[in-house]
């Protein structure tokens, strides 16, 4: 594939992701059509299908890009194991991408979209973690961290008018990050030696 074609693919996919995110600001996910996404992106209907098999595949790509963007930007806090800083950054990141997060995890689109968000986020985080999973403890920690945070974010996004970002960051740190860190350092019997 030529560099020109590569650049065109990147631009088209980015336009489709932006269109999906923009439409999600105004419409429930289940009412957004491929035709509407293509029109908003300024591409042909058939072009959409050269890049994505369906709307769900585009949503998975949007989710993957959000998670990767977050992990890249949060790297300093994650590397320093600064749970409070990471939780604060997470809440600020969600606020800066509010429409798509509302659509993906707090919208009325149902359990299917949230389940896919959980699956996609776990897959992306598993791919980007610093070391390979060493067994059930690592898998448990990843599952609890991702699912717990997504559930808390869904709750927060329905209560934005009463809970500010700093309070939510403290809730995430105290309910998810610190307990998970403790279990990692002192695993239950049968789940292996402590890891750092």
């Amino acid at each position: 594939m030529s560099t020109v074609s590569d650049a065109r693919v990147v631009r088209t996919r980015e336009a489709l992701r932006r269109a999906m995110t923009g439409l999600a600001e105004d419409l429930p996910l289940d009412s957004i059509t491929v035709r509407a996404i293509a029109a908003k992106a300024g591409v042909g209907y058939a072009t959409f299908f050269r890049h994505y098999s369906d709307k769900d595949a585009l949503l998975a790509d949007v989710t993957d890009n959000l998670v990767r963007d977050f992990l890249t930007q949060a790297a300093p806090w994650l590397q320093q194991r600064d749970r409070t800083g990471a939780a604060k950054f997470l809440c600020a990141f969600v606020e800066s991408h509010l429409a798509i997060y509302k659509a993906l995890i707090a919208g009325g689109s149902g359990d299917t979209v949230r389940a896919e968000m959980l699956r996609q986020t776990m897959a992306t985080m598993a791919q980007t973690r610093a070391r390979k999973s060493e067994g059930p403890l690592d898998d448990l920690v990843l599952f609890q961290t991702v699912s717990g945070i997504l559930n808390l974010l869904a709750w927060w996004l329905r209560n934005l008018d009463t809970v500010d970002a700093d309070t939510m960051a403290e809730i995430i740190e105290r309910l998810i990050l610190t307990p998970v860190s403790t279990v990692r350092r002192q695993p239950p019997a049968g789940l292996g030696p402590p890891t750092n």
Side-chain angles (χ1 to χ4, degrees), residues 1-11:
M1 190 180 270
S2 73
T3 305
V4 173
S5 295
D6 290 344
R8 189 176 310 128
V9 167
V10 169
R11 280 193 311 272

Side-chain angles (χ1 to χ4, degrees), residues 30-187:
D30 55 0
S31 70
I32 297 172
T33 65
V34 169
R35 211 168 281 288
I37 296 166
K40 187 161 181 75
V43 302
Y45 180 74
T47 300
F48 177 94
F49 293 102
R50 283 189 217 115
H51 296 274
Y52 299 102
S53 58
D54 56 22
K55 182 175 74 172
D56 290 340
L58 173 57
L59 277 172
D61 192 33
V62 167
T63 301
D64 181 62
N65 274 278
L66 277 173
V67 173
R68 287 181 189 278
D69 191 24
F70 167 75
L71 291 173
T72 299
Q73 293 181 45
W77 291 278
L78 299 173
Q79 289 166 354
Q80 296 170 15
R81 298 175 194 248
D82 178 357
R83 293 186 301 265
T84 302
K88 285 183 178 185
F89 179 76
L90 171 63
C91 292
F93 186 85
V94 169
E95 283 186 320
S96 69
H97 299 84
L98 202 53
I100 194 64
Y101 273 102
K102 279 184 170 183
L104 288 171
I105 61 176
S109 53
D111 294 334
T112 305
V113 172
R114 285 193 56 205
E116 178 57 23
M117 176 93 177
L118 173 62
R119 188 201 66 72
Q120 186 66 38
T121 302
M122 286 185 59
T124 303
M125 289 189 70
Q127 290 171 357
T128 58
R129 66 175 150 201
R131 62 179 178 71
K132 188 180 171 205
S133 173
E134 294 178 2
L137 179 62
D138 285 343
D139 295 338
L140 171 67
V141 165
L142 178 63
F143 177 78
Q144 177 59 20
T145 302
V146 173
S147 61
I149 288 173
L150 287 177
N151 284 328
L152 287 176
L153 289 176
W155 174 85
W156 181 42
L157 292 172
R158 289 187 297 269
N159 292 282
L160 279 171
D161 55 336
T162 57
V163 180
D164 66 24
D166 286 339
T167 302
M168 193 64 227
E170 183 180 347
I171 291 168
I172 290 170
E173 191 273 323
R174 290 174 63 181
L175 288 179
I176 305 295
L177 301 180
T178 294
V180 163
S181 177
T182 301
V183 168
R184 181 175 285 293
R185 280 193 317 275
Q186 302 166 349

